[in-house]
Amino acid sequence: MLYVASMVGHAIHGRLGVTGGPEVDPASYDTYGAGDVAAAQWSNAAVGLLGVVLLAVPLLPVSRRLPRWVVLTPFIVFALLALAGGNGMIARAMTSDVGGAVFGAYCLIWAALIAMTAKHMPRPMIVKS
């Protein structure tokens, strides 16, 4: 939700980037039309909300009836994306002056939390017919 809040704030102010992320080159704005920066950030916020919804599925009672792999797949995908993004941002921050190490560290923490949640997720119930 912190990512979603960051994207909403950037959308409202018509800014590219993410809080704690790499600096955005001012020339990046040239590729967007009027209102497109806000639309892009609203889209990023929507993707973040989709992630929150997918990661909340195990909290629903119906998830106990789903095969474990169905519930774990979004966790694995998001953990890998966060791990790759975090490592990439930290490496870029260490080898250039664009910044982004803070958001990269957030991503690594999120990857670890998602992975731990997946590891400790309850097993599905056995439904006998």
Side-chain angles (χ1 to χ4, degrees), residues 66-76 121 124:
L66 297 172
R68 186 167 167 81
W69 70 268
V70 170
V71 178
L72 282 178
T73 299
F75 280 79
I76 293 167
M121 195 178 307

PDB file of all heavy atoms in Angstrom, residues 66-76 121 124:
ATOM      1  N   LEU A  66      -8.615 -23.957  -2.288  1.00  0.00           N
ATOM      2  CA  LEU A  66      -7.852 -23.901  -3.538  1.00  0.00           C
ATOM      3  C   LEU A  66      -6.564 -24.701  -3.402  1.00  0.00           C
ATOM      4  O   LEU A  66      -6.005 -24.798  -2.307  1.00  0.00           O
ATOM      5  CB  LEU A  66      -7.501 -22.450  -3.874  1.00  0.00           C
ATOM      6  CG  LEU A  66      -8.659 -21.504  -4.145  1.00  0.00           C
ATOM      7  CD1 LEU A  66      -8.151 -20.072  -4.264  1.00  0.00           C
ATOM      8  CD2 LEU A  66      -9.399 -21.918  -5.405  1.00  0.00           C
ATOM      9  N   PRO A  67      -6.086 -25.250  -4.514  1.00  0.00           N
ATOM     10  CA  PRO A  67      -4.773 -25.913  -4.444  1.00  0.00           C
ATOM     11  C   PRO A  67      -3.709 -24.906  -4.011  1.00  0.00           C
ATOM     12  O   PRO A  67      -3.765 -23.725  -4.368  1.00  0.00           O
ATOM     13  CB  PRO A  67      -4.532 -26.364  -5.897  1.00  0.00           C
ATOM     14  CG  PRO A  67      -5.875 -26.369  -6.546  1.00  0.00           C
ATOM     15  CD  PRO A  67      -6.695 -25.332  -5.832  1.00  0.00           C
ATOM     16  N   ARG A  68      -2.756 -25.370  -3.252  1.00  0.00           N
ATOM     17  CA  ARG A  68      -1.724 -24.480  -2.694  1.00  0.00           C
ATOM     18  C   ARG A  68      -0.980 -23.704  -3.783  1.00  0.00           C
ATOM     19  O   ARG A  68      -0.684 -22.527  -3.619  1.00  0.00           O
ATOM     20  CB  ARG A  68      -0.753 -25.310  -1.860  1.00  0.00           C
ATOM     21  CG  ARG A  68       0.270 -24.475  -1.117  1.00  0.00           C
ATOM     22  CD  ARG A  68       0.976 -25.341  -0.073  1.00  0.00           C
ATOM     23  NE  ARG A  68       2.149 -24.709   0.461  1.00  0.00           N
ATOM     24  CZ  ARG A  68       2.165 -23.784   1.422  1.00  0.00           C
ATOM     25  NH1 ARG A  68       1.030 -23.383   1.931  1.00  0.00           N
ATOM     26  NH2 ARG A  68       3.290 -23.288   1.859  1.00  0.00           N
ATOM     27  N   TRP A  69      -0.696 -24.345  -4.924  1.00  0.00           N
ATOM     28  CA  TRP A  69       0.056 -23.676  -5.979  1.00  0.00           C
ATOM     29  C   TRP A  69      -0.709 -22.483  -6.543  1.00  0.00           C
ATOM     30  O   TRP A  69      -0.100 -21.499  -6.951  1.00  0.00           O
ATOM     31  CB  TRP A  69       0.472 -24.646  -7.085  1.00  0.00           C
ATOM     32  CG  TRP A  69      -0.664 -25.145  -7.936  1.00  0.00           C
ATOM     33  CD1 TRP A  69      -1.403 -26.277  -7.744  1.00  0.00           C
ATOM     34  CD2 TRP A  69      -1.186 -24.508  -9.101  1.00  0.00           C
ATOM     35  NE1 TRP A  69      -2.361 -26.384  -8.717  1.00  0.00           N
ATOM     36  CE2 TRP A  69      -2.255 -25.313  -9.564  1.00  0.00           C
ATOM     37  CE3 TRP A  69      -0.875 -23.349  -9.791  1.00  0.00           C
ATOM     38  CZ2 TRP A  69      -2.996 -24.988 -10.686  1.00  0.00           C
ATOM     39  CZ3 TRP A  69      -1.615 -23.026 -10.919  1.00  0.00           C
ATOM     40  CH2 TRP A  69      -2.656 -23.843 -11.360  1.00  0.00           C
ATOM     41  N   VAL A  70      -2.046 -22.546  -6.549  1.00  0.00           N
ATOM     42  CA  VAL A  70      -2.847 -21.428  -7.065  1.00  0.00           C
ATOM     43  C   VAL A  70      -2.677 -20.212  -6.160  1.00  0.00           C
ATOM     44  O   VAL A  70      -2.541 -19.083  -6.629  1.00  0.00           O
ATOM     45  CB  VAL A  70      -4.339 -21.821  -7.174  1.00  0.00           C
ATOM     46  CG1 VAL A  70      -5.213 -20.613  -7.480  1.00  0.00           C
ATOM     47  CG2 VAL A  70      -4.531 -22.908  -8.215  1.00  0.00           C
ATOM     48  N   VAL A  71      -2.659 -20.441  -4.872  1.00  0.00           N
ATOM     49  CA  VAL A  71      -2.522 -19.351  -3.909  1.00  0.00           C
ATOM     50  C   VAL A  71      -1.075 -18.847  -3.864  1.00  0.00           C
ATOM     51  O   VAL A  71      -0.827 -17.649  -3.721  1.00  0.00           O
ATOM     52  CB  VAL A  71      -3.002 -19.805  -2.516  1.00  0.00           C
ATOM     53  CG1 VAL A  71      -2.827 -18.715  -1.492  1.00  0.00           C
ATOM     54  CG2 VAL A  71      -4.460 -20.251  -2.583  1.00  0.00           C
ATOM     55  N   LEU A  72      -0.113 -19.753  -4.016  1.00  0.00           N
ATOM     56  CA  LEU A  72       1.295 -19.370  -3.922  1.00  0.00           C
ATOM     57  C   LEU A  72       1.832 -18.655  -5.158  1.00  0.00           C
ATOM     58  O   LEU A  72       2.776 -17.865  -5.050  1.00  0.00           O
ATOM     59  CB  LEU A  72       2.154 -20.606  -3.667  1.00  0.00           C
ATOM     60  CG  LEU A  72       2.160 -21.141  -2.257  1.00  0.00           C
ATOM     61  CD1 LEU A  72       3.010 -22.400  -2.164  1.00  0.00           C
ATOM     62  CD2 LEU A  72       2.674 -20.098  -1.288  1.00  0.00           C
ATOM     63  N   THR A  73       1.262 -18.909  -6.321  1.00  0.00           N
ATOM     64  CA  THR A  73       1.797 -18.342  -7.564  1.00  0.00           C
ATOM     65  C   THR A  73       1.937 -16.818  -7.519  1.00  0.00           C
ATOM     66  O   THR A  73       3.008 -16.293  -7.832  1.00  0.00           O
ATOM     67  CB  THR A  73       0.972 -18.797  -8.774  1.00  0.00           C
ATOM     68  OG1 THR A  73       1.056 -20.222  -8.862  1.00  0.00           O
ATOM     69  CG2 THR A  73       1.477 -18.170 -10.058  1.00  0.00           C
ATOM     70  N   PRO A  74       0.892 -16.062  -7.117  1.00  0.00           N
ATOM     71  CA  PRO A  74       1.088 -14.610  -7.047  1.00  0.00           C
ATOM     72  C   PRO A  74       2.188 -14.205  -6.060  1.00  0.00           C
ATOM     73  O   PRO A  74       2.929 -13.256  -6.311  1.00  0.00           O
ATOM     74  CB  PRO A  74      -0.266 -14.059  -6.584  1.00  0.00           C
ATOM     75  CG  PRO A  74      -1.243 -15.133  -6.869  1.00  0.00           C
ATOM     76  CD  PRO A  74      -0.485 -16.418  -6.816  1.00  0.00           C
ATOM     77  N   PHE A  75       2.322 -14.933  -4.971  1.00  0.00           N
ATOM     78  CA  PHE A  75       3.359 -14.626  -3.984  1.00  0.00           C
ATOM     79  C   PHE A  75       4.739 -14.812  -4.600  1.00  0.00           C
ATOM     80  O   PHE A  75       5.619 -13.965  -4.439  1.00  0.00           O
ATOM     81  CB  PHE A  75       3.219 -15.527  -2.753  1.00  0.00           C
ATOM     82  CG  PHE A  75       2.171 -15.065  -1.801  1.00  0.00           C
ATOM     83  CD1 PHE A  75       0.833 -15.313  -2.041  1.00  0.00           C
ATOM     84  CD2 PHE A  75       2.511 -14.372  -0.660  1.00  0.00           C
ATOM     85  CE1 PHE A  75      -0.137 -14.874  -1.166  1.00  0.00           C
ATOM     86  CE2 PHE A  75       1.554 -13.929   0.233  1.00  0.00           C
ATOM     87  CZ  PHE A  75       0.221 -14.183  -0.028  1.00  0.00           C
ATOM     88  N   ILE A  76       4.925 -15.904  -5.305  1.00  0.00           N
ATOM     89  CA  ILE A  76       6.221 -16.178  -5.918  1.00  0.00           C
ATOM     90  C   ILE A  76       6.540 -15.126  -6.977  1.00  0.00           C
ATOM     91  O   ILE A  76       7.649 -14.589  -7.025  1.00  0.00           O
ATOM     92  CB  ILE A  76       6.241 -17.603  -6.516  1.00  0.00           C
ATOM     93  CG1 ILE A  76       6.156 -18.629  -5.379  1.00  0.00           C
ATOM     94  CG2 ILE A  76       7.471 -17.831  -7.371  1.00  0.00           C
ATOM     95  CD1 ILE A  76       5.850 -20.041  -5.826  1.00  0.00           C
ATOM     96  N   MET A 121       2.220 -19.919   4.862  1.00  0.00           N
ATOM     97  CA  MET A 121       0.812 -19.949   4.492  1.00  0.00           C
ATOM     98  C   MET A 121       0.208 -21.295   4.886  1.00  0.00           C
ATOM     99  O   MET A 121       0.841 -22.345   4.714  1.00  0.00           O
ATOM    100  CB  MET A 121       0.680 -19.735   2.988  1.00  0.00           C
ATOM    101  CG  MET A 121      -0.701 -19.403   2.550  1.00  0.00           C
ATOM    102  SD  MET A 121      -0.760 -19.108   0.787  1.00  0.00           S
ATOM    103  CE  MET A 121       0.506 -17.888   0.583  1.00  0.00           C
ATOM    104  N   PRO A 124      -3.948 -26.109   2.319  1.00  0.00           N
ATOM    105  CA  PRO A 124      -5.378 -26.167   1.999  1.00  0.00           C
ATOM    106  C   PRO A 124      -6.066 -27.289   2.765  1.00  0.00           C
ATOM    107  O   PRO A 124      -5.438 -28.271   3.146  1.00  0.00           O
ATOM    108  CB  PRO A 124      -5.401 -26.423   0.502  1.00  0.00           C
ATOM    109  CG  PRO A 124      -4.042 -26.848   0.115  1.00  0.00           C
ATOM    110  CD  PRO A 124      -3.101 -26.402   1.187  1.00  0.00           C
TER     111      PRO A 124
END
